[in-house]
Amino acid sequence: MTIAEKAKKDSLMVVLPTGLGKTVIAALVIADKLKEGKILFLAPTRPLVEQHASFLKEVLDIEPSLIKTLTGSVPPDKRKLLWEEAKVIVATPQVVENDLLSGRIELSEVALVVFDECHRAVGNYAYVYISEKYHEQRAAVGKRPLVLGMTASPGSDEARILEICKNLRIKSLEVRTEHDPDVAPYVFRKNFEWVRVDVPREMKEIRALLLQVLEDKLGELYDLGILGRKRKDITKTELLELQSALRERVTLHPDADLYKALSLQAEILKLKHAVELVETQGLAALRRYFERLRNEAESRGGSQAAKRLVEDERVRKAMFLANVTDEEHPKLEVLKKILKRQLMINKASRIIVFTNFRDTAEMITAALQDLYPQVRAVRFVGQSSKADDKGLKQKEQVEIIKKFREGEYNVLVATSVAEEGLDVPSTDLVVFYEPIPSEIRSIQRKGRAGRRRIGKVVILIAKGTKDEAYYWLSRRKELKMLRKISELSLEHGVLEAPADARLLETQEAVAEVRNSADGKKVMQKSLQDFFAERAPVRREMNEEPSGEQVKIRIFVDQRELRSQVVKHLMSFDVELEFKNLEVGDYVLSERVGVERKTAADFLSSLTSAERSLLRQVKELSEAYERPLLIIEGDLKASKTQIHPNALRGALAAILTDFGVPVIQVEDERETAALLYAIARREQLELKRAVSPHGRKTAKTLKEQQEYIVSSIPGVGITVARNLLRHFKTVERVMTAAEEELKAVERVGAATARRIREVLTAKYED
């Protein structure tokens, strides 16, 4: 009640251990704010969305039909309708972000946004963009935004915590632990047990073989000058960062040593994974991994890294030993004893076993069938599927959680998908099959136990392996996190949200950008000023003499939907329409089409066999009277083997052969500013219409027919061809009945209805 009262008054982050009532706090604030407008409750997964919606329908004093759920399983047009009808919307952030970008929804009438698991609000995660648009759109109508962020674990890094607060415009923190005096009387104790097991001799032998190969590969990487020193302790995160850096260097500067380094990096990553499996998971998981490695090596398109590893005698010996050794990891037998003991104490117990890997989850679930019906286990994993590893659809996840609550299953063998927010009140025992180094994930896992009665957490640790290091690492991070958030909550002013930036006059900003339209590079300083604090911009200049406001329209290719350019464009008063554009990435008027490339993409296309860039430029020049190529980044600064004369020749060809101007900009922000300036000039000053088709005329009768049909809203080139194949002529397509249209492949009811509406509706001047 204390925290809820504060959350009603100002934007707040609530940091509470799992099970202490964050959702109840949210419900209290929602009940208070319903009279002021819509409520948006965001949660990162569909099972969480379903769970929160069900809870709110039970506790809020409103008609349950006014509480709607929006996830990726709901079609976009239906989401728009549900949004308009609802008082409370519970949604995944990805669909809200997409609907904001597509203009299907807007947030000005939302009185409160709840960000569940708000520790995700960093980087490019959808929470960040939604928060930005929410504050901007509420400010535009003169209403106060209100945010409630909820998490059990914002992380131990101070910079990360402050980034979350900045991104969500959080002004203060409310932090409680299980030991605080206003919490302690109401929580159930968790008992912790650490079970240390010995790794069998056979597994140590396999591990030693793999470590020998790993040390040799690291030495080769060091000899190439890629590593500053020989490091046996290089982490998986560091290897992935190295991979990203090497790929970028190879793209810009193809070199035999770099290709070799990339392959070595891939081999090292595979070896480290194998070592981790044998240390902490057991031979069943290792055998499955070795089988995938062998299949990859033998397949036609398999990686060279897999081929070289499988050819190494030591790896082959490790594979042989894994196949002939019957010994399983002792963790499995220990786990069975722990589960049997718990279910003997309380037959109605619910138990979650957490593991890092799907193979291990499958192995454990299969092994626990020996204990049926006392142990009724089910695997609970994410959605993604591979050839030999089928994921669970969100509907299946929801159904499994329901059956787990009801007791049809009493053991959930889960990967990280079960860490966040799942409310299974009677979970008595949580087992870590292995420790994890992340304090956030460790806290989330432990929080599944002891929510309604005394709970227990058991952590299995293989002696002398990474298990021990990971356990102590996550423990130190947890303690550091508690210390940091306590300090920040007490420091006056540290979390003050940035004041609204000064509203900039459009005339000044656009004048700065327009200076670049003649081909000069947009000056970095002016754009930094323009985008200071991502301020909303007043656009009185958009008004016609009649007083009616005219919005600029820009057509955007669907592939650009998640780009940062689109998000920056949304900060202008621009209407974006997303389509599958045949040519270009952005259409600014009937005569201006734009192709966008990063410097790395541009240089890479010059050396690729397809040379797709010149084809794209050619098509752009044929489609638009004023085509434009924008390159993001500095071509000169890029390390590349392309001779400067070759680069100049390519630019000369684009400029002279195809007549396409090339403008180089610093980054996505400058691209957005330039697109806005050109679109504004074309549409408002020169009064030019905007069309996604440009002025292109088809060269053949077939192309002309496809062009006409594909111009119908909702009909792309593929559907247009299907329609023409079915009806044979354009005339028959245009006169077909709705039922006839639905008989065509990829033409659904909505598309058929839209086609008939466009063709039969009266034209309103």
Side-chain angles (χ1 to χ4, degrees), residues 678-717:
I678 297 171
R680 189 180 190 289
R681 185 172 187 275
E682 286 288 300
Q683 296 176 37
L684 298 187
E685 296 181 22
L686 301 180
K687 308 297 182 188
R688 294 189 180 277
V690 59
S691 165
H693 293 284
R695 59 170 181 81
K696 184 177 181 180
T697 56
K699 295 179 179 178
T700 66
L701 177 61
K702 177 185 175 183
E703 289 175 338
Q704 291 175 9
Q705 292 169 322
E706 291 173 350
Y707 180 81
I708 292 170
V709 177
S710 68
S711 68
I712 302 171
V715 177
I717 189 64

Side-chain angles (χ1 to χ4, degrees), residues 191 193 334-353 371 374-375 410-411 426-431 449 453-458:
N191 296 318
E193 182 180 345
V334 171
L335 175 66
K336 288 181 179 180
K337 291 177 183 177
I338 290 169
L339 300 187
K340 286 194 290 185
R341 182 180 64 193
Q342 177 65 34
L343 291 167
M344 285 178 63
I345 296 170
N346 181 3
K347 291 181 180 179
S349 287
R350 300 290 187 277
I351 303 166
I352 302 180
V353 179
L371 304 181
Q374 183 185 15
V375 173
N410 58 7
V411 176
S426 54
T427 302
D428 309 279
L429 172 65
V430 167
V431 180
R453 53 181 179 245
I454 294 173
K456 187 173 185 179
V457 177
V458 176

Side-chain angles (χ1 to χ4, degrees), residues 251-254 602-603 606-607 611 635-636 638-652:
T251 299
L252 302 176
H253 187 73
F602 179 83
L603 294 169
L606 298 181
T607 57
R611 295 181 69 83
L635 292 171
K636 292 181 180 179
S638 301
K639 295 179 180 179
T640 176
Q641 283 188 328
I642 298 174
H643 194 279
N645 287 341
L647 177 58
R648 295 184 192 108
L651 292 170

